[in-house]
Amino acid sequence: MRTKIVAGNWKMNNDLNASISLISEIKNSLIGKNYKTKIIICPPFTSLETTNALLKGTSISLGAQNMYYEESGAYTGEISAKMLISVGCEFVIIGHSERRTIFKESDETINLKLKAALANNLKPIFCIGETLEERENDKTFDVIRRQLIAGLKDLGESEIQSIIIAYEPVWAIGTGKNATPNQAQEVHKFIRDLLQREYSTYLSDNTIIQYGGSVKPENANELMSQPDIDGALVGGACLKSDSFIKIVESAE
Ligand code: PGA
């Protein structure tokens, strides 16, 4: 049985004070609740240490939104896996489509980042997904296959077991236009079949595959009831505690 995981990606939102308020609200909403769903919160770098302190004693895990693959050195503005570990991160989002498009991250860079995260015991949330143009040109499965195979290149099955995959169709991110449950399920099934063909039935059965792209309380239930959708990576709707908690409740 795969556990459901709901992760909130705050993106470049919330300064330190706003982070403290949002975490406090989320914690208050969870008092007395005993959800089976795993919750991960990914604030900006500047709020990680404080968020970690606020989350002590809760079952919520901390994740970062990005990292660099080198250990240390002259890489102005970058953050290493060890630095993330030192402020309490357990997870890190890698290969988000905003990183791929705005910051021109390639499959090769993403592969190096996945390797560096795993080498430091950080669990990656590895994002893949097609653009609207790719979908309209019937390239969805080709793109997903390429991103998955290239991203996981040279990684062993035991390492891949620590990776969460997030299918995020780029055309659905921040647009309010989510994939229909059938569209999402179709790609999730494709990813699972690919994992089986390339690796093993065990990996295919046990890998968590989240859906991301305009997940909100109104569509979360239907999306997460699909057999191959194991939770959500939430952007916009995680910036308000009540909508984020409603999505967690849908996962339950
Ligand atoms: P969204 O973002 O929920 O605002 O569409 C999702 C994501 O980018 O992970």
Side-chain angles (χ1 to χ4, degrees), residues 7-9 11 93 96-98 127 166 168-170 172-177 211-216 232-239 247:
N9 172 11
K11 308 192 179 180
I93 300 173
H96 190 281
S97 71
E98 286 148 18
C127 304
E168 297 207 303
V170 180
I173 295 177
T175 57
K177 192 173 146 196
Y211 168 80
S214 297
V215 177
K216 31 188 187 268
L233 179 53
V234 187
C238 77
L239 296 174
I247 295 170

Side-chain angles (χ1 to χ4, degrees), residues 62-88:
L62 185 66
Q65 300 173 17
N66 182 33
M67 54 165 267
Y68 194 51
Y69 53 79
E70 294 289 354
E71 290 266 309
S72 63
Y75 304 103
T76 302
E78 294 297 325
I79 300 279
S80 74
K82 276 204 173 51
M83 291 170 184
L84 296 180
I85 293 276
S86 76
V87 290

Side-chain angles (χ1 to χ4, degrees), residues 158-182:
S158 63
E159 293 170 298
I160 301 174
Q161 280 172 27
S162 302
I163 298 180
I164 297 170
I165 295 175
Y167 167 56
E168 297 207 303
V170 180
W171 47 273
I173 295 177
T175 57
K177 192 173 146 196
N178 60 287
T180 65
N182 284 343

Side-chain angles (χ1 to χ4, degrees), residues 44 62 84 99 117 195 202 206-207 214 242:
L62 185 66
L84 296 180
R99 302 289 326 167
L195 289 174
Y202 180 85
N206 289 286
T207 300
S214 297
D242 54 342

Side-chain angles (χ1 to χ4, degrees), residues 104-121:
K104 309 285 175 254
E105 288 190 13
S106 64
D107 289 326
E108 291 69 33
T109 306
I110 290 161
N111 175 247
L112 291 172
K113 290 186 174 195
L114 287 171
K115 286 177 183 160
L118 290 163
N120 286 282
N121 292 322

